[in-house]
């Protein structure tokens, strides 16, 4: 469906940063190409660098070069871009920015709509928001003001709350868009439709029928050149607190009254707040950390460039989530994420309970044991859904076998799928917060993760404890084995 292009001026803090050049400009360009933005938009790039508009535009054209061969279109797009050298702590610079924004509003007839995207080191998130408000950069003539915040959002509940207090002293919660790019992925966005659009699925989406839920966000890569950041974060903060628990919230939430962001957020928060928070013993029982050793001809984490030789940072985290609510009762959600694992995959495996009585096992033909039905949602690199069901093997006699009902998105269709940042920008332009993390969700996720991090910070691990190229530490298999379960992937 076509829609009216949105009018807006973007102000991008960190305008020549890695994220901006690699992801943000290509995403904005695709919106332009597809018509969600057209003539009535402008973007001001900001950082301390002194660039001319021409130099900035050359970077933009370079940044979008893989998205288009149309030179004239690329140049027209880049002509909407302006550069301003800006120090985030200098209040005069914000006053100047306010004037530039007014001029661009006029020139591009943007109705005073403003999007402030802070793509800088997290310590600057708060100060930018505060100065935008205090130095009068916010639109006051009826246009919208939206603040977009990159990750990480704090490093524990206390620091996240402090950041949030700073942001909300300048912007209302409904003006703040906290980026979680996993929420821009096709399969994550499909979860509510798969659940609430299919009574045959939603009817059994509870502890009566689901044995366990497994979420795997596995990376094949190691820390690469991000040791400076990663060694102070780790898998629990970098992947579990945000992406994994957000996915958990869409899987676990109750049905919203309608598919609008306020309703969805209410249900997501309820789900996250009903996760049982563990004490130290509970953490020991229910969480596993890991750090990769050498393997596959590649070095151990502690031997990677920039990593201290005695680092106790977790490059792998797994856990068992238990909900204190009627829908989930005793059904565990197992989660895991790590680096240097056997394969790159993002997937959700939902294992259903077997029949209470296996009548086939009592027959005279001794067929194979019935397997659990498993519904798999593939997030990446492949997008798809599969369902394993038991049926009869076609050989003579009564033998059962398990077959896959499978939908895998074709490469041709996958190539058409908007990039996560493109989807998220689109939603920001439309003012739709459905696929952004609200503050109460972020708070609940930190409150859940904090006791785990605290125990890990204060106890000595036995690292390294998994080989590069494996699927993680043995203890993560034992975590499931204790419940009579096992990781479905790889099977
Ligand atoms: P970066 O270091 O490449 O860019 C940061 C930008 O901020 C640069 O343009 C720099 O010039 C500018 N800057 C620094 N200090 C400044 C100051 N005092 N005043 C004005 N400008 C200043 O960082 P990045 O990798 O682009 O990351 C940006 C944000 O996105 C961070 O919050 C990061 O956590 C997040 N993020 C990045 C990635 C990624 O792949 N790069 C992925 C996920 C999240």
């Amino acid at each position: 469906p076509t829609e009216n292009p949105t009018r807006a001026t973007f102000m991008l803090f960190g305008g020549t940063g890695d994220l901006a050049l690699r992801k943000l400009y290509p995403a904005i360009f695709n919106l332009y190409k597809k018509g969600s933005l057209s003539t009535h938009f402008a973007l001001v790039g900001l950082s301390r660098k002194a660039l001319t508009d021409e130099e900035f535009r050359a970077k933009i054209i370079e940044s979008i070069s893989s998205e288009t061969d149309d030179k004239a279109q690329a140049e027209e797009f880049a002509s909407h871009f302006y550069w301003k050298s800006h120090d985030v702590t200098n209040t005069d610079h914000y006053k100047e920015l306010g004037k530039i924004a007014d001029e661009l509003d006029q020139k591009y007839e943007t109705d005073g709509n403003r999007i402030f995207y802070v793509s800088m080191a997290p310590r600057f998130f708060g100060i930018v928001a505060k100065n935008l408000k205090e130095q009068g950069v916010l639109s006051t003539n009826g246009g919208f003001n939206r603040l977009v915040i990159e990750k990480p959002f704090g490093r524990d509940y206390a620091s996240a709350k402090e950041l949030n207090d700073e942001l909300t002293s300048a912007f209302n919660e409904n003006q703040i868009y906290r980026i979680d790019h996993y929420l821009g992925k096709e399969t994550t966005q499909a979860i509510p439709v798969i659940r609430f659009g299919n009574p045959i699925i939603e009817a059994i989406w509870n502890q009566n029928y689901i044995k366990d839920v497994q979420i795997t966000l596995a990376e094949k890569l190691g820390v690469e050149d991000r040791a400076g950041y990663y060694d102070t974060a780790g898998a629990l903060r970098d992947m579990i607190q945000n992406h994994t628990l957000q996915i958990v919230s869409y899987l676990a939430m109750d049905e919203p009254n309608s598919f609008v962001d306020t309703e969805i957020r209410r249900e997501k928060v309820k789900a996250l707040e009903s996760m049982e928070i563990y004490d130290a013993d509970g953490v020991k029982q229910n969480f596993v950390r890991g750090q990769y050793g050498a393997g596959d001809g590649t070095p151990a984490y502690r031997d990677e460039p920039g990593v201290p030789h005695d680092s106790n940072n977790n490059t792998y985290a797994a856990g068992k989530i238990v909900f204190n609510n009627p829908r989930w009762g005793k059904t565990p959600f197992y989660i895991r994420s790590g680096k240097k694992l056997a394969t790159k995959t993002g997937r959700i495996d939902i294992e259903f309970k077997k029949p209470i009585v296996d009548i086939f096992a009592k027959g005279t033909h001794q067929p194979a044991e019935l397997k659990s039905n498993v519904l798999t949602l593939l997030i990446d690199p492949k997008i798809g859904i599969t369902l394993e069901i038991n049926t009869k093997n076609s050989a003579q006699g009564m033998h059962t076998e398990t077959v896959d009902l499978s939908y895998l998105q074709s490469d041709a269709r996958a190539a058409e799928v908007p990039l996560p940042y493109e989807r998220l920008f689109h939603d920001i332009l439309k003012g739709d917060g459905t696929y952004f993390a609200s503050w109460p969700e972020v708070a609940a996720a930190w409150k859940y993760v904090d006791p785990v991090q605290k125990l890990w910070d204060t106890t000595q691990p036995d690292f390294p404890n998994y080989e590069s190229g494996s699927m993680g530490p043995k203890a993560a298999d034992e975590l499931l084995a204790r419940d009579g379960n096992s990781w479905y992937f790889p099977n």
Side-chain angles (χ1 to χ4, degrees), residues 14-20 22 47-49 86-88 119-122 124-125 150-152 421:
T16 51
D18 172 67
L19 185 76
R22 267 190 323 113
S47 87
R48 284 174 304 188
K49 284 201 175 65
H86 179 94
D87 182 336
V88 292
S119 177
M120 303 181 67
F124 296 130
F125 294 167
E150 261 300 328
K151 76 176 235 193
Y421 274 104

Side-chain angles (χ1 to χ4, degrees), residues 93-120:
H93 287 181
Y94 291 87
K95 295 196 176 93
E96 293 160 22
L97 177 61
K99 288 199 194 100
I100 294 173
D102 288 340
E103 283 163 22
L104 293 174
D105 280 354
Q106 293 260 316
K107 177 165 179 187
Y108 290 94
E109 299 172 359
T110 60
D111 295 347
N113 293 332
R114 294 182 186 175
I115 295 172
F116 305 95
Y117 198 120
V118 194
S119 177
M120 303 181 67

